[in-house]
């Protein structure tokens, strides 16, 4: 789809025109056209193919002049007017403009005086104190520019679902009390519980869109308003992520929710089924001719298509539609199904709280058992435990169990797997523990064959019940090890080793890994890896990941009662 490419060019033209002191009306015309194209549901190329330049002019905000420019782009791949402007001031205007305190006029001065073309140049000049001496800038502006650059770096790219969760709460807190909002739900990748989120898509049912849009665009965490209309508005939030809000009528709510939840591939597959049945599906409903036959709820839409309801976490067009139509969908593990947590650290090593405090917090979070898994001695920087300290910790856990009701504390460890695949705690000490997890904490960059062999060696140890951190990745921070997951899964099966999904920012296993493991009959666990009591909430993210991997309760051992869980371990 070329909608976004063209929208971006029109946005830049608006910046250039402002730079050239063009009349405000003309600048706004380009800005509005850009927003309109970016939010257009249809493919602009299709619109043009079907109806020519006339159809382009039907798009809100596109007049004759703009329609001609769009046509030029579709035909030649460029817009000469834009190319000429760009030649005069060849800078990355859209990135520079995103920095707070930099407008088109200032961008022009920076280029003319200091040859600043992009954010990198800008940062260098600001750090060298070259900007404060320019007329109209000053020391304060220079500092603001540096702050703006920091913010922009933070906001580039995607956000982890854990980060976005709090932003969504903040939005809900501000909008839920607004009078006239009948329903508010966040759709998009957030509702599908993807690992990372590009932008937040909010759907609202209301008879008074004006009030809703006013409230949305004036939320206290709005950094910029990109567009404000009666059906759709888009803002950049101070947290660095964008959010769209759409107001839809109650009669279309289910269809709109379905459409904007996506994924795009899932939508396309659903639309195909509709067409095969002589129907039409879009964000307004499922139609037979012009008659809407479903649309108020998602359930209605799926039913009318002859499908079972498909949970949002499964909507990636990776077999869920076939399963929903013919065979069966998994009965996914629920968000309150976990009974225990099998990885957490305490102040015996790098956690912040005592065993007892963590146990009480776990109980409060609704858990029945926890496994204490402090680090072991070769992780010196965490104050890792040796055999003697593990024994002492075991005694302490015994005392706590006698003292506390409603929560069972189990003895464990997160044993470090050394470079050669051996463990840093001797087997005699491991045998004394209730459950042993092992993981890699160093030498991440070994070649595939070596790091796989190293991991397999630990899994072969009859004392190792769980492989913690099977891939070692940290979302947006650290790549996974180059490890042969298929082989890990095979050996997990043959040795009866449980594989950990983890949670928070780690989510070691991807959805497809989880599906592969389940198919092979391997059991999994979802752990918070808590280092402080508030981390127990991260279990929700791990559950979401398990659901995205089609996991049922039977696949996740810490969704089982304690006795049953203990029996399945080595
Ligand atoms: P994100 O924001 O990158 O994490 O991913 P999504 O899935 O939230 O994608 P987004 O925000 O671009 O669009 C929200 C939903 O709107 C998407 O999941 C499906 C629907 N959608 C967007 N573009 C298209 C399209 O071209 N065709 C169809 N059928 N659906 C689309
Ligand atoms: Ca989105
Ligand atoms: Ca979006
Ligand atoms: Zn730790």
């Amino acid at each position: 789809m070329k909608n976004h490419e063209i929208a971006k060019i029109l946005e830049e033209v608006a910046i250039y025109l402002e730079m050239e002191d063009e009349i405000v009306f003309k600048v706004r015309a380009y800005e509005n056209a850009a927003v309109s194209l970016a939010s257009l549901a249809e493919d602009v190329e299709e619109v043009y193919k079907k109806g020519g330049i006339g159809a382009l002019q039907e798009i809100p905000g596109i007049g004759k002049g703009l329609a001609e420019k769009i046509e030029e782009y579709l035909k030649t791949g460029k817009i000469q007017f834009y190319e000429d402007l760009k030649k005069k001031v060849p800078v990355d205007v859209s990135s520079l403009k995103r920095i707070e305190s930099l407008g088109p006029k200032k961008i022009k001065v920076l280029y003319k005086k200091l040859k600043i073309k992009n954010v990198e140049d800008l940062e260098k000049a600001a750090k060298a104190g070259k900007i404060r001496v320019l007329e109209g800038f000053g020391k304060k502006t220079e500092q603001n520019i540096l702050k703006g650059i920091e913010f922009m770096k933070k906001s580039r790219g995607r956000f982890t679902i854990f980060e976005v969760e709090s932003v969504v709460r903040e939005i809900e807190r501000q909008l839920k009390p607004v009078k006239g909002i009948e329903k508010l739900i966040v759709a998009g990748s957030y509702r599908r519980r993807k690992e990372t989120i590009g932008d937040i898509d909010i759907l609202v049912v209301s008879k008074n869109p004006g009030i809703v849009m006013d409230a949305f665009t004036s939320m206290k965490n709005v950094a910029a308003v990109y567009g404000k209309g009666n059906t759709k508005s888009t803002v950049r939030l101070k947290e660095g992520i964008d959010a769209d809000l759409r107001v839809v009528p109650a009669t279309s709510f289910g269809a709109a929710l379905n459409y904007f939840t996506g994924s795009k591939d899932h939508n396309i597959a659903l639309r195909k089924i509709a067409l095969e049945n002589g129907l039409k599906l879009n964000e307004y409903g499922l139609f037979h001719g012009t008659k809407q036959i479903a649309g108020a709820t998602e359930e209605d839409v799926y039913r009318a298509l002859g499908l079972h309801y498909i949970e949002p976490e499964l909507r990636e067009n990776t077999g869920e539609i076939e399963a929903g139509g013919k065979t069966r969908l998994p009965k996914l593990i629920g968000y309150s199904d976990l009974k225990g947590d099998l990885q957490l650290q305490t102040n015996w090593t790098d956690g912040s709280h005592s065993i007892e405090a963590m146990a009480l917090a776990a109980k409060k979070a609704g858990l029945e058992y926890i496994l204490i898994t402090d680090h072991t001695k070769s992780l010196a920087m965490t104050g890792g435990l040796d055999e003697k300290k593990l024994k002492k910790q075991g005694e302490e856990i015994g005392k706590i169990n006698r003292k506390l009701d409603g929560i069972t504390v189990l003895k464990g460890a997160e044993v470090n797997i050394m470079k050669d695949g051996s463990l840093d705690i001797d087997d005699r000490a491991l045998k004394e523990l209730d459950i042993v997890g092992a993981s890699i904490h160093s030498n991440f960059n070994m070649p595939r064959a070596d790091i796989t062999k190293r991991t397999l060696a630990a899994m072969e140890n009859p004392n190792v019940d769980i492989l913690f951190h099977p891939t070692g990745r940290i979302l947006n921070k650290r790549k996974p090890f180059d490890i042969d997951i298929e082989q890990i899964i095979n050996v997990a099966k043959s040795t009866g080793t449980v594989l950990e999904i983890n949670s928070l920012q780690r989510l070691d296993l991807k959805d497809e890994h989880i599906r592969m493991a389940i198919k092979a009959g391997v059991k999994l666990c979802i752990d918070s890896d808590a280092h402080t009591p508030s981390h127990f909430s991260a279990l929700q993210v791990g559950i979401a990941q398990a659901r995205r991997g089609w996991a049922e309760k039977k696949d996740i051992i810490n969704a089982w009662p304690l006795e049953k869980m203990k029996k399945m371990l080595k």
Side-chain angles (χ1 to χ4, degrees):
M1 237 168 50
K2 299 218 167 82
N3 299 24
H4 267 280
E5 292 164 40
I6 302 175
K8 184 156 184 273
I9 292 175
L10 299 183
E11 226 173 81
E12 294 209 354
V13 170
I15 301 172
Y16 279 122
L17 291 180
E18 201 173 335
M19 201 180 272
E20 301 300 338
D21 271 330
E22 184 58 73
I23 49 167
V24 175
F25 173 76
K26 200 164 168 192
V27 175
R28 296 285 169 264
Y30 276 91
E31 283 176 357
N32 290 338
V35 173
S36 176
L37 264 190
S39 59
L40 188 67
E42 304 97 294
D43 184 344
V44 67
E45 207 164 10
E46 288 299 327
V47 172
Y48 178 67
K49 261 189 212 149
K50 274 192 218 137
I53 194 156
L56 292 178
Q57 284 182 67
E58 304 275 354
I59 300 170
I62 311 282
K64 185 155 173 291
L66 276 156
E68 281 168 6
K69 296 209 163 55
I70 294 170
E71 176 180 56
E72 186 191 349
Y73 187 84
L74 292 173
K75 278 186 174 164
T76 68
K78 61 180 188 186
I79 297 173
Q80 198 53 47
F81 179 53
Y82 167 71
E83 299 295 328
D84 292 341
L85 290 166
K86 183 124 201 143
K87 205 180 274 166
K88 262 208 278 184
V89 185
V91 306
D92 183 1
V93 284
S94 32
S95 301
L96 287 173
K97 196 182 169 226
R98 224 170 283 151
I99 290 163
E100 229 185 355
S101 74
L102 269 198
K105 303 254 164 55
K106 284 206 161 74
I107 293 173
K108 189 176 177 181
V109 175
L110 289 170
Y111 173 69
K112 293 274 179 233
K113 300 276 182 203
L114 298 173
K115 290 275 164 280
I116 287 170
K117 287 187 170 181
N118 50 41
V119 178
E120 222 178 301
D121 295 348
L122 180 70
E123 183 170 24
K124 252 190 245 154
K127 284 193 171 151
K130 288 182 181 164
I131 290 176
R132 67 180 75 173
V133 297
L134 295 177
E135 202 187 326
F137 282 80
K139 200 168 169 182
K140 187 101 208 274
T141 312
E142 193 177 66
Q143 279 168 354
N144 284 339
I145 286 172
L146 283 171
K147 266 193 220 146
I149 292 172
E150 273 316 299
F151 177 70
M152 185 176 145
K153 280 186 183 161
K154 218 176 92 187
S155 61
R156 200 180 290 151
R158 303 175 64 82
F159 289 68
T160 66
I161 182 115
F162 196 69
E163 292 168 327
V164 172
E165 202 65 73
S166 60
V167 182
V168 168
R169 291 289 93 75
E170 180 59 41
I171 294 172
E172 285 173 346
R173 234 193 327 272
Q174 296 181 73
L175 294 186
K176 284 258 160 94
V178 173
K179 256 176 105 175
I181 291 186
E182 290 163 36
K183 240 182 233 173
L184 182 151
I185 184 161
V186 179
S189 51
Y190 171 82
R191 183 160 180 251
R192 303 201 310 284
R193 317 304 295 159
K194 291 271 286 184
E195 296 169 355
T196 63
I197 308 298
D199 76 346
I200 300 172
D201 305 284
I202 307 162
L203 283 188
V204 163
V205 173
S206 172
K207 294 190 190 75
N208 201 335
I211 292 180
V212 179
M213 294 309 188
D214 284 346
F216 177 61
T217 53
S218 59
M219 293 188 304
K220 68 178 182 5
N221 55 332
V222 167
V225 178
Y226 290 151
K228 185 179 176 193
N230 242 335
T231 54
K232 183 185 174 189
S233 296
T234 303
V235 300
R236 159 65 52 104
L237 300 173
K238 288 193 178 137
E239 292 85 348
I241 191 168
D242 292 346
D244 304 326
L245 184 145
R246 290 179 176 82
V247 174
V248 298
T251 48
S252 296
F253 181 70
L257 180 59
N258 188 243
Y259 182 89
F260 291 110
T261 296
S263 67
K264 189 174 161 186
D265 291 340
H266 179 87
N267 290 354
I268 291 169
L270 285 185
R271 204 182 308 155
K272 197 162 150 257
I273 293 178
L275 286 174
E276 284 163 5
N277 289 290
L279 305 170
K280 200 179 141 214
L281 177 66
N282 58 29
E283 61 268 47
Y284 304 103
L286 181 64
F287 295 89
H288 185 89
T290 53
K291 186 171 182 284
Q292 195 210 54
I293 60 168
T297 71
E298 280 195 312
E299 284 80 358
D300 291 346
V301 172
Y302 283 106
R303 200 177 309 121
L305 288 172
L307 299 170
H308 296 292
Y309 177 74
I310 299 173
E311 298 283 356
E313 294 91 330
L314 301 183
R315 299 183 195 170
E316 302 294 341
N317 195 29
T318 52
E320 76 279 8
I321 291 175
E322 292 80 352
K326 298 184 193 93
T327 50
R328 68 179 270 282
L329 286 159
K331 186 172 177 346
L332 299 181
I333 179 171
Y335 282 100
S336 49
D337 277 346
L338 289 187
K339 295 193 181 341
D341 190 346
L342 302 178
Q343 192 192 152
L344 56 102
Q345 280 78 34
T346 71
N347 60 7
W348 283 66
T349 57
D350 62 350
S352 64
H353 282 63
S354 68
I355 299 170
E356 186 174 339
M358 290 302 274
L360 289 171
K363 183 181 163 184
K364 212 169 151 204
L367 299 175
E368 296 169 11
Y369 56 88
I370 55 170
L371 180 69
I372 303 297
T373 56
D374 276 300
H375 297 288
T376 49
K377 64 185 173 198
S378 58
L379 275 192
M381 59 179 198
T382 67
L385 309 183
D386 59 13
E387 286 82 354
K388 235 170 90 189
K389 280 204 189 130
L390 270 175
K391 189 161 186 283
K392 224 174 119 205
Q393 188 183 53
E395 289 159 12
E396 166 84 10
I397 288 172
K399 270 189 227 152
I400 291 169
N401 274 327
R402 283 188 289 280
K403 186 170 158 195
L404 298 183
D405 285 332
I407 182 97
T408 303
V409 183
L410 301 165
K411 291 180 281 182
E414 179 177 15
V415 183
N416 200 18
I417 304 174
M418 308 302 284
K419 202 174 170 195
D420 62 0
S422 65
L423 303 176
D424 68 343
I425 296 293
D426 68 40
D427 280 310
R428 244 183 335 158
L430 293 182
K431 269 203 193 104
E432 295 302 312
L433 301 174
D434 293 311
I435 302 173
V436 173
S439 63
I440 286 178
H441 278 96
S442 58
N443 297 101
F444 301 131
N445 295 323
M446 287 165 83
R448 185 178 178 86
D450 298 343
I451 202 156
T452 304
K453 207 171 130 211
R454 173 182 175 194
T455 306
L456 296 181
M459 295 167 73
E460 304 276 0
N461 183 317
N463 292 311
V464 173
D465 301 291
I466 308 173
L467 178 64
F468 286 161
H469 301 303
T471 72
R473 73 170 173 161
I474 303 179
L475 296 176
N476 289 351
K477 248 187 228 156
R478 190 165 80 206
K479 284 197 314 210
F481 321 137
D482 184 13
I483 198 167
D484 185 343
I485 279 280
E486 265 169 63
Q487 227 183 323
I488 298 293
I489 288 172
N490 287 339
V491 174
K493 178 66 186 166
S494 65
T495 57
T497 308
V498 174
L499 300 181
E500 186 194 53
I501 296 172
N502 208 274
S503 62
L504 204 66
Q505 316 268 41
R506 288 182 178 263
L507 296 173
D508 278 83
L509 295 183
K510 294 206 282 188
D511 50 348
E512 63 249 47
H513 299 152
I514 295 169
R515 280 176 83 171
M516 278 161 64
I518 291 171
K519 210 164 157 211
V522 167
K523 298 299 174 200
L524 303 161
C525 64
I526 300 168
D527 299 332
S528 70
D529 203 348
H531 282 63
T532 197
S534 66
H535 284 166
F536 286 115
S537 65
L539 286 170
Q540 296 298 308
V541 178
I543 297 172
Q545 185 79 339
R547 287 166 64 90
R548 294 193 337 102
W550 295 43
E552 305 191 7
K553 238 164 109 169
K554 68 170 176 43
D555 303 310
I556 308 292
I557 64 162
N558 54 319
W560 305 353
L562 180 57
E563 287 314 311
K564 180 179 167 191
M565 192 265 306
K566 270 163 92 179
K567 254 182 235 147
M568 82 76 50
L569 296 169
K570 285 184 196 169

